Amino acid sequence: MTEASSSKKRPRSPNDNDEHPLGRDQICSSLEDNLTFNDTMIALQLMRTQFPKLEKLVVQPFVLQSQLYSSVKDRTQVDRDLESFKKGKVLRIFKLSSGQDDHAIMFMDDYLKQVAFAIKWSGGEDQDGSEVFEWFERYVVPSKLDVSINQLELCSLLSRGGDVTDKHITLLMNAGLLTCQLIDPNIYWFAIPRIGPILKGLSQGRKEILSLLNRKKYKEMLLSSLEKTKLRLSPLDTRFLLRDLIGSGHIETVQTPTGLLARITRD
């Protein structure tokens, strides 16, 4: 069992203090040098520090679940740890619209910052019905830890603050805090506000890297070389995308005398 899951203490979130638990060399070193870990929390903290910094886009760092699977070999342990961290309100998990199995992991401290930004961007307290934002933070966020919530439960939790109307739900959706599930309109996904451009970059970056490898004779490249590739179609960091593609099984890595090789996974 990993250290993160065996400890009875609340796992440290990245914002507990200013000093990062990882050394500066670990944070800045190459993907090949820091591809895998034995500890889920350490992997999460490292990848949080490596989240792409994008101009004109304020989104708090998050980690894709596929990236975590590429970094911690024991997926069963990862799932156990994530469930533990979620129940401990250390982090939240979000279903993404970029793919059927795409999930984002965001530390709770970062999520609450994103919620505050979303409220500000949407007009904040100047809107009629803006009291719903306080109700959402106070009654919904700490009580409902799943990726979705049905309309009845949502209204029930919000009603602890006051009378709930359709306008309140619309405000939450317009702020990007909730999205309506297409299959069942009575189910809402919890969402990361303003994440749209990142999801577009994720989709385009995946395609570009896979296309690059497919054009190679043996559909493979040294990971160190691939990591340095500048993408034309995506603003996201190549390392961010490679962790995702490895964890999702689209790319596999093979150790060779010249270094770690990344290649298209054969069917």
Side-chain angles (χ1 to χ4, degrees):
M1 182 175 292
T2 64
E3 180 182 348
S5 62
S6 61
S7 173
K8 294 183 179 179
K9 297 181 180 179
R10 174 186 178 272
R12 288 163 34 123
S13 87
N15 298 319
D16 283 349
N17 55 52
D18 292 333
E19 182 180 355
H20 199 279
L22 300 171
R24 182 173 298 274
D25 291 340
Q26 258 187 296
I27 294 173
C28 300
S29 59
S30 70
L31 177 59
E32 182 170 353
D33 291 338
N34 273 295
L35 183 60
T36 59
F37 301 87
N38 294 320
D39 187 293
T40 304
M41 180 56 71
I42 292 296
L44 283 168
Q45 289 173 328
L46 173 73
M47 286 185 282
R48 179 187 179 275
T49 67
Q50 296 177 343
F51 186 78
K53 293 178 173 59
L54 305 176
E55 293 183 9
K56 300 179 182 178
L57 187 62
V58 183
V59 175
Q60 294 299 307
F62 63 84
V63 176
L64 296 172
Q65 193 161 334
S66 55
Q67 294 171 329
L68 194 56
Y69 285 152
S70 76
S71 301
V72 182
K73 292 300 184 183
D74 189 342
R75 293 195 176 200
T76 301
Q77 187 60 54
V78 168
D79 292 338
R80 287 199 199 102
D81 288 340
L82 288 179
E83 187 63 24
S84 174
F85 299 154
K86 186 178 72 172
K87 288 181 178 178
K89 301 178 183 178
V90 177
L91 51 77
R92 288 194 74 100
I93 300 175
F94 302 86
K95 175 74 178 71
L96 302 180
S97 60
S98 52
Q100 184 176 355
D101 299 321
D102 285 352
H103 291 81
I105 302 162
M106 183 178 277
F107 283 103
M108 185 66 80
D109 294 341
D110 291 328
Y111 173 62
L112 293 176
K113 288 181 184 178
Q114 194 70 22
V115 169
F117 286 141
I119 294 171
K120 180 179 179 181
W121 289 321
S122 67
E125 298 179 357
D126 296 333
Q127 304 173 86
D128 182 26
S130 61
E131 62 273 6
V132 73
F133 295 124
E134 181 184 351
W135 302 347
F136 182 78
E137 288 186 86
R138 178 175 294 184
Y139 303 115
V140 179
V141 171
S143 301
K144 189 65 175 178
L145 303 175
D146 296 332
V147 297
S148 64
I149 185 170
N150 66 55
Q151 187 170 20
L152 184 63
E153 186 174 9
L154 174 64
C155 291
S156 175
L157 290 172
L158 290 173
S159 66
R160 296 178 184 177
D163 293 332
V164 182
T165 66
D166 290 342
K167 181 189 297 183
H168 289 128
I169 306 300
T170 299
L171 283 175
L172 293 174
M173 294 183 67
N174 289 344
L177 297 170
L178 295 173
T179 58
C180 192
Q181 193 181 95
L182 296 178
I183 299 176
D184 186 348
N186 292 315
I187 300 292
Y188 298 92
W189 298 113
F190 288 99
I192 300 174
R194 303 175 77 88
I195 198 178
I198 293 182
L199 296 185
K200 181 179 179 181
L202 176 63
S203 178
Q204 292 177 326
R206 285 167 169 169
K207 292 176 182 177
E208 187 170 353
I209 290 176
L210 292 175
S211 176
L212 174 63
L213 285 175
N214 273 314
R215 291 197 302 270
K216 299 295 180 181
K217 183 177 180 180
Y218 297 108
K219 303 184 186 304
E220 61 189 28
M221 283 180 65
L222 283 174
L223 186 63
S224 57
S225 298
L226 189 55
E227 182 182 356
K228 296 173 185 176
T229 301
K230 298 295 183 182
L231 301 178
R232 296 182 300 105
L233 304 178
S234 174
L236 298 180
D237 183 77
T238 306
R239 176 167 50 185
F240 182 87
L241 293 159
L242 284 172
R243 283 193 186 277
D244 162 63
L245 288 167
I246 293 170
S248 62
H250 289 89
I251 291 177
E252 60 185 0
T253 56
V254 180
Q255 189 65 54
T256 71
T258 54
L260 205 57
L261 200 66
R263 67 186 181 197
I264 298 289
T265 303
R266 293 177 173 82
D267 295 333

